[in-house]
Amino acid sequence: MEWRTVVVIVLVVSLCFFIVPIRVGPDKAVEEDAELFAKYVARYNKSYKNEPAEYNKRFEHFQKSLRHIKKLNGLRSSQESAYYGLTKFSDLSKDEFLQQTLLPDLPLRGQKHMIASYYHQHLTSSVNRVKRLTGIPSKFDWRDQKVVGPVASQESCGACWAFSTVGVAESMYAIKNGTLYSFSVQEMIDCMPGGNGCQGGDICSLLSWLSTSKTRITSETDYPLTLRADTCRLPKIAAKTSGVIVTDFTCDSFVDAETELLTQLVTHGPMAAAVNAISWQHYLGGVIQCQCDGSFNSLNHAVQIVGYDTAASIPHYIIKNSWGPSFGDKGYIYIAVGKNLCGKINEQAACNISR
């Protein structure tokens, strides 16, 4: 065999060794992603499992979510830091998550309240957002007082504004009267004048209407949740049911004044708050410390603040969400205190309630 032939054979064999890994590596990763996606679709019983075109579209979003989750987990600074993984939202693009789950127009809704008599802005030094706490405990959780209702799921209905406000009303009534009742979120969705039902709303507008009109918030039993906007049934059932009335409220901005917020939380009760939840798409647990813009123009969701823990290794707020108990930590999210994260925490709701 001539030496040229030997050289050609060696080169061809060598090229085979180089070519095979380059071609197989990505295919194997895609196969693993596909297997993981199939399990994901089955777990969450996704409706598109038998629709090839939609299935492939969702798979692409799912792969991007996997890469983003890896990046987020790479930013963890400790075992207590927020950690991320697959959720029921992981097959959505970031824009779809914003449009379908959150309230993109919340900043526009919120601007009109800044000139209202019930709006108060609390300002302290931005250098020291959380001053030394005096007169309040280092840890407080209203759930320990049995005045916080169970975590609800808004599903595809964009009524976080109603869930958070009604949740605070439930807590305020329980603090005052010693009994926790479930009030009607559906009444807010159907009956608020000028509201958009499942398409959006805001905390302060809802409270303003309830307080001015003296409209009673009825019980969940008398006006059950359907999670779709419908004709208001309150006139038909008003004579047959009792309820509570919001007698007074304020909407407060606590940006750069978190000590005041903590004090209000302890001395008054849980609060409804406007936040930026765009980074929560893949949240599983732990304390959010970064990747959560705190500007007013980024507000897009409403939640309840039910407590805090400043004695923890990462001081944090305890946030009750409305995406069901399977999301986050049994429906709850934790956000670091002292960093003005997630647009927090803008609005305090339902100060005084009577039956």
Side-chain angles (χ1 to χ4, degrees), residues 236-285:
K236 296 180 180 179
I237 66 174
K240 304 176 183 178
T241 182
S242 59
V244 296
I245 294 175
V246 175
T247 58
D248 192 18
F249 76 98
T250 62
C251 285
D252 300 80
S253 173
F254 289 102
V255 175
D256 293 337
E258 295 186 75
T259 299
E260 284 76 5
L261 189 154
L262 295 172
T263 302
Q264 285 284 330
L265 189 58
V266 172
T267 59
H268 186 78
M271 300 178 183
V275 297
N276 173 12
I278 193 65
S279 68
W280 301 2
Q281 184 174 358
H282 312 294
Y283 175 86
L284 296 182

Side-chain angles (χ1 to χ4, degrees), residues 173-325:
Y173 181 83
I175 292 170
K176 183 177 181 180
N177 297 282
T179 305
L180 181 63
Y181 287 104
S182 294
F183 296 147
S184 177
V185 173
Q186 191 63 43
E187 178 193 346
M188 308 300 108
I189 295 172
D190 292 346
C191 303
M192 179 180 165
N196 290 326
C198 286
Q199 301 304 312
D202 69 272
I203 298 166
C204 293
S205 292
L206 176 55
L207 286 169
S208 180
W209 168 62
L210 288 171
S211 177
T212 302
S213 66
K214 303 302 178 186
T215 298
R216 287 182 298 171
I217 307 176
T218 62
S219 71
E220 175 77 15
T221 302
D222 292 326
Y223 205 134
L225 188 66
T226 64
L227 291 175
R228 63 177 183 273
D230 208 340
T231 302
C232 180
R233 297 193 292 110
L234 193 58
K236 296 180 180 179
I237 66 174
K240 304 176 183 178
T241 182
S242 59
V244 296
I245 294 175
V246 175
T247 58
D248 192 18
F249 76 98
T250 62
C251 285
D252 300 80
S253 173
F254 289 102
V255 175
D256 293 337
E258 295 186 75
T259 299
E260 284 76 5
L261 189 154
L262 295 172
T263 302
Q264 285 284 330
L265 189 58
V266 172
T267 59
H268 186 78
M271 300 178 183
V275 297
N276 173 12
I278 193 65
S279 68
W280 301 2
Q281 184 174 358
H282 312 294
Y283 175 86
L284 296 182
V287 181
I288 296 175
Q289 298 170 274
C290 58
Q291 300 294 311
C292 205
D293 178 22
S295 68
F296 177 84
N297 289 331
S298 297
L299 299 179
N300 51 41
H301 190 44
V303 294
Q304 289 173 257
I305 317 171
V306 301
Y308 64 84
D309 186 353
T310 58
S313 58
I314 305 176
H316 59 268
Y317 294 99
I318 303 169
I319 306 295
K320 181 186 175 186
N321 201 8
S322 55
W323 294 345

Side-chain angles (χ1 to χ4, degrees), residues 139-154:
K139 180 179 180 180
F140 192 87
D141 189 342
W142 280 107
R143 293 176 296 179
D144 296 337
Q145 311 299 317
K146 311 298 182 185
V147 297
V148 178
V151 173
S153 177
Q154 68 186 66

